[in-house]
Amino acid sequence: MISCAFCGRANDESSRFCVDCGKPVSPSAARVGPAVSVSAMRSGSGAAGPAVAAPRAPATPHSPATPMSACPRCAKQTNAALPYCSHCGGRTGAQAPTSNVCGGCGALVQPGIDVFCPRCGTPTTGTTPSAGASTTSSLSAQQRVAGPRIALLGESGEVTQTYTMDRGELVVGRGDGDVQFADDVFMSPVHAQFAMRDGNVVLRDLGSRNGTWLFLDGAARLADGDVMLIGSQLIRFRRLGYPGPHPPEADATRRLGSLVPSADIAVLQQLRSDGSVRDSLHLSPGRTVIIGRESGDWLFSYDQTMSGRHAEVRSEDSEFVLQDAGSRNGVAIAVRGEKPVKKGQKVLMGDHVLRMETVS
């Protein structure tokens, strides 16, 4: 008789595989277990020693009284009452030993065979039966601490690095924070923060010099003071309000002026790097303007990062809405306060583009 080095079952000398666990009947198949003996486990002494498997009662796999049948895999005669073929190790169709769940790590163990858990070495005494254990995965510590993921994009839009908000927040900066870009001269030392709020991810600029930009994933209603990034242009939206009536001239002479809409209630301002205004375009109720490099109402022919038809500022009653007009590089708005970030939205910080991969 040959004892299986893995489970201790006695096998016929001609067996190549254990009839009870299916492992090769060879010394190399011995399980690597914890360096604690069974006697030490029972006595509580913790003395070092080799892992010992509880031997099964000797049984001859092929005795005259044993029912034999052809193995479905190799077609050789084997014990039909045992779960594995002694010739090839394949399943015979017999019921395998009931599996229990290890109390230490949740792995499957076999009662009466596994003295220690093959994964973590926890003694199998006191394990509980597993319902549907063959298809149910245990929850690992890594899964429990995982949080929303943010990807760093390369120049062609490929993902070059991913970061996980495992603490519920992620601070980005040039010299401090959870994610640092030391070579980015456009990024402030502490630039922006991602954080969890009521199950959602929000983005906050931390007083950076060049701002934090959230790219649009649809139409956005403009508020007074919003700054847009269109191509390489910084354009600020300002509300003007409705003008009051002009007082009549003393001598009843009418003033000459350009023909304009009845009321300019907002203005778009092109900003220089020092914040001063270089050019402007006034908006009135009912007027929709197109901004682009080649066609539209406001053209920037010298801006190669701007698409031919890049963005649209649309009038809706007395409000104005910004929308991407199918541009290549997108349209972004500077973050003020806390802004929710959706899955797939991109963020520009300094000279780096990040994308929200998951939000939970």
Side-chain angles (χ1 to χ4, degrees):
M1 305 295 292
I2 301 176
S3 295
C4 174
F6 188 87
C7 70
R9 178 66 184 243
N11 290 266
D12 187 79
E13 293 183 357
S14 63
S15 299
R16 296 176 55 208
F17 295 87
C18 177
V19 295
D20 217 0
C21 69
K23 299 290 189 297
V25 183
S26 64
S28 62
R31 181 201 303 111
V32 178
V36 180
S37 66
V38 175
S39 60
M41 178 190 70
R42 291 175 178 173
S43 64
S45 63
V52 179
R56 300 290 299 272
T60 304
H62 308 300
S63 63
T66 300
M68 306 295 289
S69 65
C71 169
R73 181 177 178 182
C74 67
K76 294 184 179 180
Q77 293 295 312
T78 188
N79 189 339
L82 295 175
Y84 294 95
C85 173
S86 62
H87 303 283
C88 68
R91 290 296 300 269
T92 62
Q95 180 65 37
T98 303
S99 294
N100 287 355
V101 176
C102 170
C105 68
L108 298 181
V109 295
Q110 294 181 343
I113 298 178
D114 293 317
V115 178
F116 297 96
C117 172
R119 178 189 292 178
C120 69
T122 300
T124 60
T125 304
T127 55
T128 57
S130 170
S134 61
T135 59
T136 303
S137 300
S138 61
L139 179 65
S140 67
Q142 181 178 2
Q143 290 173 317
R144 289 194 294 269
V145 301
R149 293 197 310 276
I150 302 168
L152 174 66
L153 304 183
E155 293 184 359
S156 59
E158 78 282 6
V159 176
T160 61
Q161 182 71 40
T162 57
Y163 311 98
T164 303
M165 294 174 55
D166 52 6
R167 296 185 297 106
E169 68 174 29
L170 190 76
V171 176
V172 182
R174 189 179 76 241
D176 198 0
D178 304 294
V179 178
Q180 300 179 22
F181 299 102
D183 298 330
D184 191 343
V185 297
F186 296 100
M187 186 174 291
S188 295
V190 180
H191 198 102
Q193 176 196 51
F194 293 93
M196 292 295 297
R197 296 284 187 272
D198 300 324
N200 299 314
V201 178
V202 297
L203 176 63
R204 174 182 288 274
D205 183 77
L206 299 178
S208 66
R209 172 166 292 184
N210 292 314
T212 301
W213 304 86
L214 181 62
F215 284 86
L216 302 185
D217 64 346
R221 193 172 300 276
L222 293 173
D224 183 41
D226 277 344
V227 181
M228 300 160 271
L229 177 64
I230 302 176
S232 295
Q233 306 302 314
L234 301 185
I235 298 176
R236 182 171 58 198
F237 174 81
R238 296 304 305 265
R239 297 290 308 198
L240 299 178
Y242 287 89
H246 294 287
E249 298 295 337
D251 58 2
T253 302
R254 296 181 62 182
R255 290 182 178 270
L256 181 66
S258 300
L259 178 63
V260 295
S262 58
D264 293 326
I265 61 173
V267 63
L268 301 177
Q269 300 172 329
Q270 179 192 21
L271 302 179
R272 298 187 178 95
S273 59
D274 62 358
S276 62
V277 177
R278 178 185 182 274
D279 199 0
S280 61
L281 178 68
H282 283 78
L283 302 174
S284 58
R287 184 184 186 189
T288 296
V289 299
I290 302 297
I291 301 173
R293 191 181 75 248
E294 298 173 350
S295 64
D297 303 281
W298 203 5
L299 302 182
F300 298 88
S301 58
Y302 49 85
D303 189 345
Q304 296 302 311
T305 62
M306 186 179 292
S307 296
R309 183 185 177 94
H310 198 107
E312 175 185 270
V313 178
R314 184 174 64 252
S315 172
E316 292 186 356
D317 297 326
S318 60
E319 301 293 330
F320 292 92
V321 174
L322 173 66
Q323 190 161 10
D324 191 344
S327 67
R328 179 177 182 180
N329 293 319
V331 178
I333 297 181
V335 173
R336 296 193 293 169
E338 288 188 345
K339 293 292 185 181
V341 185
K342 301 177 183 178
K343 179 181 178 181
Q345 271 193 292
K346 294 189 294 183
V347 178
L348 175 65
M349 300 182 188
D351 199 30
H352 288 79
V353 177
L354 305 172
R355 184 176 66 201
M356 180 59 61
E357 298 293 280
T358 61
V359 294
S360 60

